[in-house]
Amino acid sequence: MDTLSVRTTSQVQFLDLTGQVRRWLQDQKVSSGVLTLYVPHTTAGITIYENADPDVIRDLTMELNKVIPFDDNYRHLEGNAAAHIKSSIIGASVQVIVDRGDLVLGTWQGIFFAEFDGPRSRKLHLQLTTAV
Amino acid sequence: MDTLSVRTTSQVQFLDLTGQVRRWLQDQKVSSGVLTLYVPHTTAGITIYENADPDVIRDLTMELNKVIPFDDNYRHLEGNAAAHIKSSIIGASVQVIVDRGDLVLGTWQGIFFAEFDGPRSRKLHLQLTTAV
Amino acid sequence: MDTLSVRTTSQVQFLDLTGQVRRWLQDQKVSSGVLTLYVPHTTAGITIYENADPDVIRDLTMELNKVIPFDDNYRHLEGNAAAHIKSSIIGASVQVIVDRGDLVLGTWQGIFFAEFDGPRSRKLHLQLTTAV
C-alpha cells in the first residue's frame, strides 16, 4: 500500500488528483488490475467527477451544502456534523480500472478528493489488486 | 478489461443490466473473485437496486429528481448540472463478488445502469480481480 | 467468499461491525489486499463512518430521514420505499485496504452496517482480493 499527501485549502473543496495518481501509477509498472483509492478521514471523501468545467464543481459544492446544511440542529458539537454526513454520501473510496498501464477514465472524468471540513492536510491510500 | 454497450431511452433511467453482465461473466470461466463495473461517463452512474417491483425504480427516480432538482440556479450552462451531481451521489462503479462462477446478488438485487442525461449510447467497463 | 450474520434492532440503525470484521480477517492469515464487504439486501447498505461520538451517528440518521422522508407519495406499497432509496445512496458495498494483516482504517473510522428497514436478521458477504 502507498499513501499520497493532499493539502486542501478551503472548507469544502473538490481537488483534482488525477495527475498525481497517474504519475504514481506509472511508477508501479503494472499493466492491468483495479486501483482502490481510500480516504482514511471521516470528514472527507473521494469521487469521480467532471474535470472540464469548474462550474460543475461549484454546482456540486453548492448543492451538497444545500441538501446537507452546515447547521441543522445536529447533536455533534464540533461544528462539522454536516461534513461527516457528506463523507458517508460521497464515500471513502473509489475503484478505477487499470488497463495497458494507465487509468481507464472517461474523456471528462477526473479523480477528486472531496474535502468537507478543511482546510487540512489529508492522506490518500492506494492499493492495486490483480486482474484475473 | 471488457466493455459492454448500453442504450438508454429516457432522460433519467435505471436500466437492469444483470442478465447482460451475468452472460458476460459466464464466458470468462472464472470461479471466484470480485467484479468491478465502471461507468466512464460524468452524467451517469451504476447502482445495486431492487429488481422486483418497477415502482421502486420510479420512486428512486422521483426522489432523486426532487432532492437534486433539474433547475437550481446552477452555473453550468449545458442544462445537465443536476445529472453531474446525481452521478457523484450514486457513484461511477460498483463491486460484485463472484463465487462458484456466478454473481453473488441478493434475492431482490439487480445491477442497474443509472442514466441521468439520456437518452444516449453509453459504455460499461468490466474488470475481474483475483480472490485470495 | 465468507458470510457474517448481522442482527439489527431498530428501523434505521448504523451498526459498528469493525471488531467482527477485524476478527474475521485475522483468521484469514492474509498480509495484503483489498477486502470487499457486500450487503445482499435492497433496504440496507454499508458505509465507513465516524466511530467515536454516537451523536455523529444520530445526526446521520436524522439527516437521511429528513432528505429521504419515510412518506413522500411513493408508489411502492410495502411501506419501505425510502429504505430502498437510502440503500442506493449509501451503497451496497465498501472496499477496505488490508496491509500487514490488518484493516487500514483512519483513526476515527469504523465499518457500519446501515439498516434502513429493520429490525431484521441480515447478512454481510466478505471477499478478499490479491494485492499486486
Side-chain angles (χ1 to χ4, degrees):
Chain A
M1 185 189 78
D2 265 351
T3 303
L4 298 180
S5 291
V6 176
R7 177 75 212 169
T8 61
T9 55
S10 310
Q11 186 182 12
V12 178
Q13 184 177 20
F14 291 87
L15 201 64
D16 191 343
L17 299 183
T18 316
Q20 202 175 343
V21 172
R22 184 161 266 149
R23 284 189 296 276
W24 174 87
L25 180 64
Q26 282 161 357
D27 291 342
Q28 311 306 308
K29 314 289 180 201
V30 167
S31 172
S32 71
V34 168
L35 174 59
T36 294
L37 299 155
Y38 185 92
V39 170
H41 307 288
T42 60
T43 54
I46 187 160
T47 189
I48 305 294
Y49 206 63
E50 212 256 26
N51 66 359
D53 175 5
D55 276 344
V56 181
I57 290 292
R58 290 188 197 103
D59 289 335
L60 177 61
T61 304
M62 181 271 288
E63 197 66 12
L64 278 178
N65 290 346
K66 189 168 165 179
V67 173
I68 312 295
F70 286 105
D71 296 306
D72 203 8
N73 294 313
Y74 301 117
R75 295 204 194 189
H76 185 56
L77 297 175
E78 295 178 24
N80 59 4
H84 289 296
I85 297 164
K86 287 170 186 165
S87 79
S88 175
I89 289 173
I90 294 300
S93 76
V94 292
Q95 280 69 39
V96 181
I97 296 172
V98 174
D99 195 53
R100 299 178 196 185
D102 197 9
L103 301 169
V104 180
L105 294 170
T107 312
W108 309 109
Q109 286 183 323
I111 300 165
F112 286 83
F113 186 93
E115 173 63 80
F116 296 122
D117 192 34
R120 293 207 197 194
S121 292
R122 300 293 204 173
K123 295 203 173 303
L124 177 71
H125 297 322
L126 308 98
Q127 177 70 286
L128 278 161
T129 44
T130 313
V132 168
Chain B
M1 185 190 79
D2 265 351
T3 303
L4 298 180
S5 291
V6 177
R7 177 77 211 170
T8 62
T9 54
S10 309
Q11 185 182 15
V12 177
Q13 184 177 20
F14 291 87
L15 202 64
D16 190 342
L17 299 183
T18 316
Q20 202 176 343
V21 172
R22 184 161 266 148
R23 284 190 295 278
W24 174 87
L25 180 64
Q26 283 162 358
D27 292 340
Q28 311 306 309
K29 314 289 181 201
V30 167
S31 173
S32 71
V34 168
L35 174 59
T36 294
L37 299 155
Y38 185 91
V39 170
H41 307 287
T42 59
T43 54
I46 188 161
T47 188
I48 305 293
Y49 205 63
E50 213 256 25
N51 65 0
D53 176 4
D55 277 345
V56 181
I57 290 292
R58 289 189 197 103
D59 289 335
L60 177 60
T61 304
M62 180 271 288
E63 197 67 11
L64 278 178
N65 290 345
K66 190 169 165 178
V67 173
I68 312 295
F70 287 105
D71 295 306
D72 204 8
N73 294 314
Y74 301 118
R75 294 204 193 189
H76 184 54
L77 296 176
E78 295 178 22
N80 58 4
H84 289 296
I85 297 164
K86 288 170 185 165
S87 78
S88 176
I89 290 173
I90 295 299
S93 76
V94 293
Q95 279 71 38
V96 181
I97 296 172
V98 175
D99 195 52
R100 300 178 197 184
D102 198 10
L103 300 169
V104 180
L105 294 170
T107 311
W108 310 109
Q109 286 183 323
I111 300 166
F112 286 84
F113 186 92
E115 173 63 80
F116 297 122
D117 192 32
R120 291 206 198 196
S121 292
R122 299 292 206 174
K123 296 201 173 302
L124 177 71
H125 298 320
L126 308 97
Q127 177 70 286
L128 280 160
T129 45
T130 313
V132 168
Chain C
M1 185 190 79
D2 265 350
T3 303
L4 298 180
S5 291
V6 177
R7 177 77 211 169
T8 62
T9 55
S10 310
Q11 185 181 14
V12 177
Q13 185 177 20
F14 291 88
L15 202 64
D16 191 342
L17 299 183
T18 316
Q20 201 175 344
V21 172
R22 183 162 266 148
R23 284 190 295 277
W24 173 87
L25 180 64
Q26 283 162 357
D27 291 341
Q28 310 306 309
K29 313 290 181 201
V30 167
S31 173
S32 71
V34 168
L35 174 59
T36 294
L37 300 154
Y38 184 91
V39 171
H41 307 288
T42 60
T43 54
I46 187 160
T47 188
I48 305 293
Y49 206 64
E50 212 256 25
N51 65 0
D53 175 6
D55 277 344
V56 181
I57 290 292
R58 290 189 198 104
D59 289 335
L60 177 59
T61 304
M62 180 272 287
E63 197 67 11
L64 278 178
N65 291 345
K66 189 169 165 178
V67 173
I68 313 293
F70 286 106
D71 297 305
D72 204 7
N73 294 314
Y74 301 117
R75 294 204 193 189
H76 185 55
L77 297 175
E78 295 178 23
N80 58 4
H84 288 295
I85 297 164
K86 287 169 185 165
S87 78
S88 175
I89 289 173
I90 294 299
S93 77
V94 293
Q95 281 69 40
V96 182
I97 296 171
V98 175
D99 196 52
R100 299 178 198 186
D102 198 10
L103 300 169
V104 180
L105 294 170
T107 311
W108 310 109
Q109 285 183 324
I111 300 166
F112 287 84
F113 186 93
E115 174 63 80
F116 296 122
D117 192 33
R120 292 206 197 195
S121 291
R122 299 293 205 173
K123 295 202 175 301
L124 177 71
H125 297 321
L126 308 98
Q127 177 71 288
L128 279 160
T129 43
T130 314
V132 169

